[in-house]
Amino acid sequence: LEGDDYTEPSLDTELTDGMSVTVNRVTYTEETVTETVNYDTVKINDSDMEVGTEKVQTQGVNGEDSVTYKVKLVNGKEDSKTEISRKETKKSVNKEVRVGTKLPDNYNSVEPNGVTTWNGYSVGDTVSGRYSHYCACSICNGNSRGVTTSGRRIQNGMQNPYYVACNWLPLGTVIDVDGQLYTVADRGGSGLSKKGRIDIFTPEGHSMCYALGVGNCTITIVRLGW
């Protein structure tokens, strides 16, 4: 044996009649390849653009690195490789996207709280959503106490407070659902943990929930949390 050659079974194995012993020849070589370096996307807040709008300012361009590997060959076939050097040969260019933060006129009643990002979501993000409806009855809530997770009270017949239940945004978040503002005031079952799923409180009662049904919507995050 030479260098890193090895046997199967190992050298300290006692030989027996009829045993087959394989000698594995280990050699090393080097190879240099060109690898793509993916560009990053950078979002830039723009107070002159309305919430929910985006504009690409700079297109991203992938870069390239020249990478040298030490390759381990066992019986002439690649077994593993280890990077030993890397050199940038083409610099990547970040994609820059301007994101609107200006609130439209109908958002003037929403008091900002200074929070711009939370758990991967940002003010101004637009999400493809799906809605359903619930009311304050025991069928929808399991009880009729009329207390949301946030502590806000609800009852059928009240003036519409424009609340929604969802699990993927913090309580107090204000969202625009197809042009109507709602506050996240309640939580719900595991189905509401999926991004974009909301349950809209409907003070007109259970029959109205059925009448309004379910559907698709566009959700824009106006404020994150209280």
Side-chain angles (χ1 to χ4, degrees):
L1 302 179
E2 296 180 357
D4 291 335
D5 293 347
Y6 62 95
T7 63
E8 293 177 302
S10 61
L11 287 175
D12 58 1
T13 302
E14 183 178 352
L15 296 176
T16 59
D17 289 342
M19 176 182 288
S20 176
V21 177
T22 300
V23 176
N24 294 294
R25 300 296 184 186
V26 178
T27 57
Y28 295 92
T29 186
E30 289 186 4
E31 68 174 20
T32 300
V33 297
T34 298
E35 294 186 355
T36 298
V37 179
N38 294 326
Y39 63 80
D40 292 325
T41 298
V42 178
K43 291 190 174 183
I44 304 169
N45 291 337
D46 191 326
S47 60
D48 293 327
M49 297 169 54
E50 286 197 352
V51 165
T53 61
E54 292 186 356
K55 181 180 180 181
V56 176
Q57 177 172 288
T58 304
Q59 293 289 352
V61 179
N62 289 333
E64 292 181 349
D65 281 355
S66 177
V67 187
T68 300
Y69 291 96
K70 181 179 181 180
V71 183
K72 178 182 178 181
L73 304 173
V74 178
N75 299 325
K77 295 183 179 180
E78 183 178 315
D79 177 75
S80 62
K81 61 183 180 180
T82 304
E83 182 180 323
I84 56 177
S85 69
R86 177 180 292 267
K87 181 179 179 181
E88 182 182 77
T89 56
K90 179 183 176 183
K91 188 175 181 61
S92 61
V93 178
N94 289 339
K95 180 179 181 179
E96 296 182 337
V97 180
R98 303 198 77 83
V99 179
T101 60
K102 180 182 177 182
L103 297 178
D105 292 340
N106 66 321
Y107 290 1
N108 288 338
S109 60
V110 179
E111 183 177 350
N113 60 5
V115 178
T116 58
T117 60
W118 179 88
N119 201 27
Y121 297 103
S122 300
V123 171
D125 282 353
T126 298
V127 177
S128 295
R130 187 161 179 82
Y131 64 80
S132 53
H133 294 83
Y134 78 106
C135 71
C137 76
S138 58
I139 297 175
C140 289
N141 290 278
N143 63 72
S144 55
R145 293 193 299 270
V147 181
T148 64
T149 305
S150 66
R152 301 291 178 92
R153 292 190 171 273
I154 54 174
Q155 63 182 31
N156 289 343
M158 71 185 297
Q159 183 176 350
N160 198 338
Y162 295 101
Y163 291 158
V164 296
C166 82
N167 302 337
W168 52 282
L169 288 171
L171 293 172
T173 294
V174 177
I175 57 176
D176 179 316
V177 182
D178 292 338
Q180 176 61 57
L181 298 181
Y182 292 90
T183 300
V184 178
D186 213 351
R187 299 298 194 208
S190 59
L192 292 179
S193 297
K194 183 178 179 180
K195 179 180 179 180
R197 272 290 284 120
I198 58 172
D199 206 9
I200 300 174
F201 172 64
T202 309
E204 293 85 357
H206 203 68
S207 59
M208 182 58 72
C209 292
Y210 277 109
L212 295 173
V214 299
N216 298 321
C217 60
T218 299
I219 299 170
T220 301
I221 300 173
V222 179
R223 186 186 69 199
L224 286 164
W226 297 109

